Amino acid sequence: MDVMFLQDNAITGETVVRDIVQADYRTAAVFDAYGIDYCCGGRWPVSSACLMKGVKQDELLDKLRRVTRTLTLSTAHAFEEWDIDFLVDYIRRVHHTYLRNNLPPLSEALDRFAGKHRNKYAYIPALEELFMRFCAETLQHIKQEEEVLFPYILQVAHAYADKDSLATLLVKTLRKPLPPVMEQEHTIFRNYLLPIRELTSLYTPPENACTSHGVLLGRLRELDNDLSQYLYLETSILFPRIINMEKELLGA
């Protein structure tokens, strides 16, 4: 059954490959998977590119249309009212999974781009250094959350909801340093995300930028959006709720 969406991205066999990627950086991943050049050599229409690569045009067009679907998260969601179990699972499945799946390949893409353009754009070396440190710190951070913080948070939430007689003892003996973790996340934002925004002029390609340059900045912008939402859910909703439960259980 065909499903109609409000927005149709009108990609056809006659659309030029480079134009598709310039209009939506997400399509680059599809062309990469099929070995189709979308940068300096991407002047062919999709039909010709498919013929040269032996790719089924309908299959490629379907994947391009799927990847360009825009999925939005409504601001009407009352995140602060979500059950703690659901909120933790959402953060882990959506944001942690996104970071694990995207940081390594994005780092590799930045390395490849820098190898060809490091001397052309003055900001690239600083961006490389920032992003390398950002990746290492962020991946370690989410590992710590899943192994240490989240199990504790769920214990507190369950004990609090069940009015467990041992809840106070649990907090006293197992209490985790949530305020320092919140500060650590603010530090990640200040030390990495803000400088990256400044270096890239809010992910705006220079006038002489090639298509690959725009794709890289588009992927960085997507990462910025996801990370901002992730940090908001934790530092503004999840952690403060658990800290309030701790205080109540300790009679503070």
Side-chain angles (χ1 to χ4, degrees), residues 61-231:
L61 289 175
D62 180 63
K63 290 189 176 181
L64 289 172
R65 289 166 183 152
R66 287 174 181 271
V67 81
T68 53
R69 282 182 54 204
T70 298
L71 305 177
T72 59
L73 188 62
S74 172
T75 55
H77 283 302
F79 299 110
E80 66 279 358
E81 297 176 8
W82 283 6
D83 181 81
I84 293 293
D85 288 67
F86 182 81
L87 182 55
V88 167
D89 197 47
Y90 179 89
I91 291 171
R92 182 175 60 81
R93 290 179 181 271
V94 174
H95 296 292
H96 283 192
T97 297
Y98 174 84
L99 291 168
R100 282 202 177 95
N101 289 346
N102 285 276
L103 285 181
L106 184 49
S107 181
E108 292 173 5
L110 176 56
D111 286 342
R112 287 195 302 270
F113 181 82
K116 298 178 181 178
H117 301 83
R118 189 177 290 108
N119 296 328
K120 186 175 182 180
Y121 301 104
Y123 77 92
I124 293 296
L127 178 61
E128 280 186 286
E129 175 64 22
L130 268 175
F131 197 75
M132 180 182 67
R133 290 192 281 118
F134 164 76
C135 287
E137 188 166 331
T138 300
L139 291 173
Q140 178 59 36
H141 178 75
I142 63 177
K143 182 174 184 289
Q144 178 196 30
E145 284 190 341
E146 292 183 359
E147 294 180 355
V148 179
L149 289 180
F150 284 176
Y152 168 72
I153 283 171
L154 294 175
Q155 282 182 298
V156 171
H158 294 166
Y160 181 87
D162 296 340
K163 295 181 173 54
D164 192 324
S165 59
L166 298 177
T168 299
L169 180 61
L170 182 150
V171 173
K172 286 182 177 179
T173 56
L174 299 179
R175 195 174 190 181
K176 307 301 178 187
L178 291 179
V181 174
M182 292 170 66
E183 180 55 33
Q184 181 184 11
E185 295 195 342
H186 290 146
T187 299
I188 289 175
F189 184 84
R190 288 193 304 267
N191 290 356
Y192 301 112
L193 206 55
L194 290 181
I196 288 174
R197 289 176 181 177
E198 184 176 355
L199 280 171
T200 60
S201 300
L202 289 177
Y203 313 107
T204 304
E207 289 185 5
N208 60 341
C210 63
T211 304
S212 295
H213 200 156
V215 169
L216 177 66
L217 293 176
R219 292 176 68 182
L220 287 171
R221 185 191 302 111
E222 179 185 273
L223 172 64
D224 185 311
N225 290 337
D226 186 87
L227 188 68
S228 296
Q229 177 70 4
Y230 160 53
L231 296 181

Side-chain angles (χ1 to χ4, degrees), residues 14-31:
E14 300 310 308
T15 312
V16 174
V17 169
R18 186 170 61 179
D19 292 346
I20 294 172
V21 178
Q22 287 178 340
D24 193 323
Y25 71 92
R26 295 173 295 179
T27 58
V30 176
F31 290 121

